Amino acid sequence: MRLDIFTLFPEAFDWFQSQRSVQNALAEGSELRLFNYRDTTPLNAGQVDDSPYGGGAGMVLRVDVVDAALRAAYPSEERPRVVLLSPTGRMLDDALADELTAEPHLALLCGRYEGFDERVHEHLANDEVSIGRYVLAGGELPAMVLADVVMRKLPGALGHAQSAVEESFSQMLEGAPEYPHYTRPVLHRGWGVPDVLLSGDHERVRRWRAEQSRARAAQLDPRAE
Ligand code: ADE
């Protein structure tokens, strides 16, 4: 997977890039590149935004600036799927994450201020993704959320190959949340561990986990039962 992130704040991704799952994905051949709109802006003095036509508060990221960044990153080669992070986009869930993980190459556009000039949505982005119906200060955190969920689905990103497959909301668990996990100590302040997990009976453990997962799904959505 090649993941290109366009942002005004590439340094916001320093911590993210140092995470084990990202490091593992990179070691397995994935690529993560950061592009600063300011580096390729055709305007003077690093300008990237402007006041909105018609008046109103805030600044808007300019279409010529975003276009220049994409043209510089992809001068001749075919463009990847361009995903714009927006509070009004398609809601990110496990199925959408699977869909995006299947792409060999993704570009993520992070906005700031009041957002992008509408022509970026219309002509430059192929898709819009939201991480929730609330407005954040910019697309950097949503891009990290998207990059995180996509990268940890790649083979080799997690230490244990099975971990992502059996994760909450995955197909393997029929879209249900994951079952509860316990580890040592077996008793802490009187709080114990379900006997079945100590039984050594793999079939009972498997059935118990499936039941727990279904019960949690029903709690999230009572219609799921
Ligand atoms: N940009 C600002 N808020 C956002 C959100 N909730 N999801 C995606 N991008 C955003």
Side-chain angles (χ1 to χ4, degrees), residues 1-164:
M1 155 81 69
R2 289 171 67 191
L3 199 54
D4 298 333
I5 302 179
F6 294 79
T7 172
L8 287 170
F9 300 99
E11 67 280 1
F13 293 83
D14 287 351
W15 168 83
F16 176 71
Q17 284 183 287
S18 72
Q19 295 307 290
R20 173 69 60 84
S21 57
V22 177
Q23 291 289 319
N24 287 349
L26 299 183
E28 293 285 323
S30 286
E31 259 186 83
L32 179 63
R33 302 190 296 173
L34 289 158
F35 297 90
N36 191 336
Y37 299 116
R38 240 182 259 290
D39 291 342
T40 47
T41 179
L43 308 172
N44 292 330
Q47 186 188 348
V48 292
D49 58 353
D50 234 316
S51 46
Y53 282 126
M59 300 292 273
V60 178
L61 264 176
R62 288 175 54 131
V63 62
D64 49 354
V65 168
V66 178
D67 196 25
L70 289 169
R71 282 164 179 267
Y74 314 116
S76 55
E77 59 182 311
E78 239 173 71
R79 288 218 176 157
R81 180 159 163 187
V82 177
V83 176
L84 183 155
L85 281 309
S86 158
T88 56
R90 288 168 72 192
M91 198 66 84
L92 182 60
D93 60 9
D94 198 65
L96 178 51
D98 277 339
E99 184 188 318
L100 295 172
T101 307
E103 294 284 344
H105 191 182
L106 280 178
L108 307 183
L109 303 183
C110 304
R112 277 268 151 181
Y113 319 122
E114 284 306 298
F116 295 94
D117 183 298
E118 186 59 23
R119 291 165 289 185
V120 176
H121 298 260
E122 281 175 12
H123 301 290
L124 297 177
N126 307 116
D127 227 327
E128 301 193 12
V129 170
S130 169
I131 64 160
R133 295 287 183 245
Y134 41 79
V135 180
L136 297 166
E140 284 73 21
L141 288 172
M144 275 184 249
V145 169
L146 201 163
D148 187 294
V149 67
V150 162
M151 291 190 107
R152 66 200 302 282
K153 280 179 180 286
L154 296 173
L158 303 182
H160 194 288
Q162 207 55 20
S163 311

